[in-house]
Amino acid sequence: MAILTGLFATPITAAEKPEPLSEELVAILGSQYDVNDDGNPDVFYDYDVDLLPGYFELTDRNFDGKIDESTYFSGEHTAQYGRADNDFNGQMDTVIEYKHQSISNKWIDRDENRVIDTWLNYRNGELAKAKRYYPKSESSPSSVGTVVFQFSYPAIEQIETSTLTEIEFEASSNLIVPLWSNE
């Protein structure tokens, strides 16, 4: 099964599995589930030998036969990070970081140029802060918009002119894993 190629790394075959793996992990790896009963698997479990004992859950959320969400779980079955294709165009556009069993950060490429332009920060699973990069246009300089949330509602909003490029904005956002792999 070569599901991970192009998403994270080249997978290894069952014969190359390093030993020892827990019985629980062996039972998960290679599993496939048909969520919508259309006869095609929609959720897959696979791994990368360099990231063991963790594993990946790969999901086809819109049932088109293509993986559009991938989440890496630790050997303790705790979500660590993931990538998602939220507009279902075949390109991952979001990186998700999990801490303490909930989302802690999301990084999004809204303009599909393979550079992060939006960063969402969560505290205890609730949106706490959002930052978005707005590129320079003919009528305005580049800027960064920031919204601070209280009780999940916008409390403070500001847009400031910025000398940052979109790549510098991405670098300042503390992205944990690259949005794009070597495809």
Side-chain angles (χ1 to χ4, degrees):
M1 179 183 307
I3 294 172
L4 294 180
T5 302
L7 286 176
F8 291 95
T10 302
I12 60 176
T13 65
E16 296 171 306
K17 285 182 185 177
E19 295 298 328
L21 294 177
S22 71
E23 288 180 29
E24 186 178 27
L25 186 57
V26 169
I28 292 171
L29 296 177
S31 298
Q32 300 179 10
Y33 300 96
D34 179 7
V35 177
N36 63 344
D37 293 324
D38 67 352
N40 298 309
D42 307 303
V43 179
F44 306 83
Y45 292 90
D46 211 338
Y47 70 100
D48 178 335
V49 69
D50 294 329
L51 298 175
L52 284 172
Y55 59 94
F56 292 94
E57 178 182 76
L58 307 164
T59 308
D60 173 12
R61 295 178 297 161
N62 63 340
F63 312 117
D64 66 352
K66 299 175 188 167
I67 301 299
D68 41 58
E69 185 168 14
S70 170
T71 305
Y72 174 74
F73 288 84
S74 70
E76 292 79 39
H77 312 292
T78 303
Q80 303 295 303
Y81 64 86
R83 292 184 178 100
D85 172 12
N86 288 318
D87 58 8
F88 305 111
N89 69 350
Q91 297 182 356
M92 297 295 178
D93 51 43
T94 303
V95 172
I96 306 157
E97 176 185 37
Y98 299 90
K99 287 186 180 173
H100 310 294
Q101 305 287 342
S102 63
I103 295 173
S104 64
N105 288 289
K106 281 186 184 180
W107 295 268
I108 305 166
D109 172 19
R110 293 188 186 272
D111 58 7
E112 298 185 357
N113 65 350
R114 295 186 171 217
V115 181
I116 297 299
D117 53 37
T118 303
W119 174 34
L120 306 174
N121 176 255
Y122 295 77
R123 229 178 267 127
N124 300 320
E126 289 189 18
L127 186 58
K129 188 178 195 178
K131 288 187 131 185
R132 182 164 185 188
Y133 177 82
Y134 297 94
K136 177 178 156 181
S137 69
E138 288 183 22
S139 61
S140 63
S142 61
S143 58
V144 174
T146 303
V147 178
V148 176
F149 293 82
Q150 291 179 347
F151 307 109
S152 298
Y153 292 96
I156 302 169
E157 300 177 39
Q158 67 182 46
I159 296 181
E160 295 180 339
T161 301
S162 176
T163 59
L164 291 176
T165 65
E166 192 169 0
I167 291 171
E168 291 169 331
F169 174 82
E170 177 180 307
S172 72
S173 72
N174 303 316
L175 182 63
I176 58 163
V177 294
L179 178 60
W180 304 99
S181 61
N182 296 330
E183 299 175 305

